[in-house]
Amino acid sequence: MYYSDYNRQENGLAPVEFNVQPPETPPETPKKKSRVGLKVTALLLACALLGGGAGVGGALLTQKAAERTADTTTLFQGGRTPTVVNLSKINAGQPLTAAEVYASNVNSVVGITTQITTNVWGQQVAQAASGSGFVISSDGYILTNYHVIEDATSVSVIFKNGDEYPATIVGGEQDNDVAVLKIDAAGLIPVVMGNSDDLVVGEEVVAIGNPLGEMTFSETRGIVSALDKPLTMSDGTVLNVLQTDCAINSGNSGGPLFNMYGQVIGITNAKYSRSGSSNEASIEGICFAIPIDDVKDMIQDIITHGYVTGKPYVGVTLATVNAQAAARYGRPGGAYVQSIVPGAAAEKAGLRVGDIITAVDGETVDGSAAFIAIKDKHKAGDTVTLSIDREARSMTLTLTFDERTPDDQVGQVPVEDDSGSGSYNYGGQWGYLPFGW
């Protein structure tokens, strides 16, 4: 039965049978062949078969196969049920397919292009989509990563349909890598926020964004690999993140990570890399996102005030005194006070340059990172007791945290050692962490 017969069946018609017979040929007069000729012919045929059926042997095999199947060959037309994308399910609390998550949300995702001064001559370079973001309100508020728009002199966003808008940076929170933009638009479709605290390891997730700034508005799929992972960024900032094997690359930063109900449960922001750059990452399947529950309250603060209110501020830059340095200099390990901001909480508490903070409210401080972690558990206005070493004398001081504002100065960038241990050093012993603490 031929393809046309299949169509006849599809339309309720009986198939038409065709019997194909090879044409009659007059008999040939047998010719006498020498045994040498037979050997040569056999050798040529063997060579043709070993060569993949090409040449004389291939032609003979093709002819024989055609003769055997000419009256029995059937061609089948494949079929499938088209994928149904049901956009109404997103608000009905039902699981979606990856196709439905994409169709329901791609028009809420944007590519972000920034212009940044890059050299001493003040030249500005317009980049490709340097990151991603997503609409969180119908009147034009957009959420992204802080590092996507950091140091930008201008920002624009583009939607999948090609609509492009200049964007204003409303504010951001560097420590949590979150920022809010505003565009002059109305009637936008915001995403639906989910609850990252409800996630479990193994749950399926998808990301929509602009990997490499060129593969725009593409979707990748994976699972939640781990929850509540402390991640030390390249600038020394420690973030609480969720881990996923959903493919995330440079340009995905700031984009949404969805659960299979089409709800945003994270902001994609990092990829593990030995090289220090996601563009040159040598490790696959270890990617990260900021849990959305960690930043929900911050978003409203940023929209209202331009920054996150209630953040505790000390006003110092610190260095870690590790065990080796402590043994060498005969001082305890802890957080070394490298500088103090005039008038800030540290100065009001009586801290001095050269003091080593060894504990906060009795909790041991073995370095700058430990002090940061303890500080971040508090709010502006909280009071703590510091245990310090000052010139080999133990003392206690009372410190009340100030509120951190965007104007508070930030200290030095960390210098990573060559050991690959993740510690920081300066002069072989001590290292700076970024500090506007």
Side-chain angles (χ1 to χ4, degrees), residues 233-248:
M233 306 297 286
S234 58
D235 65 354
T237 303
V238 179
L239 294 176
N240 174 59
V241 297
L242 63 88
Q243 180 185 331
T244 177
D245 66 350
C246 190
I248 296 171

Side-chain angles (χ1 to χ4, degrees), residues 318-388:
L318 298 178
T320 294
V321 182
N322 57 32
Q324 293 81 3
R328 178 174 179 178
Y329 294 104
R331 301 285 298 277
Y336 174 81
V337 178
Q338 196 267 338
S339 69
I340 295 175
V341 176
E347 184 180 70
K348 289 182 285 189
L351 275 172
R352 299 179 185 175
V353 172
D355 288 348
I356 299 175
I357 303 171
T358 58
V360 179
D361 284 343
E363 185 174 350
T364 300
V365 172
D366 59 6
S368 300
F371 182 83
I372 297 168
I374 296 172
K375 173 196 69 70
D376 286 343
K377 297 176 184 177
H378 293 82
K379 296 184 178 297
D382 289 351
T383 298
V384 295
T385 299
L386 305 181
S387 300
I388 68 168

Side-chain angles (χ1 to χ4, degrees), residues 55-111:
V56 176
L60 291 174
L61 290 174
T62 302
Q63 180 182 350
K64 293 296 184 184
E67 291 174 356
R68 287 197 304 271
T69 62
D71 59 344
T72 61
T73 299
T74 301
L75 300 180
F76 294 96
Q77 172 67 39
R80 55 162 289 182
T81 302
T83 299
V84 177
V85 179
N86 186 349
L87 301 184
S88 66
K89 287 168 62 178
I90 189 169
N91 294 318
Q94 301 178 36
L96 309 176
T97 65
E100 289 169 338
V101 174
Y102 182 84
S104 300
N105 291 283
V106 68
N107 293 321
S108 302
V109 179
V110 299

Side-chain angles (χ1 to χ4, degrees), residues 24-40:
E24 295 184 0
T25 56
E28 296 182 356
T29 303
K31 296 182 180 180
K32 185 177 181 181
K33 299 181 180 179
S34 66
R35 294 180 61 85
V36 174
L38 288 173
K39 291 181 180 179
V40 172

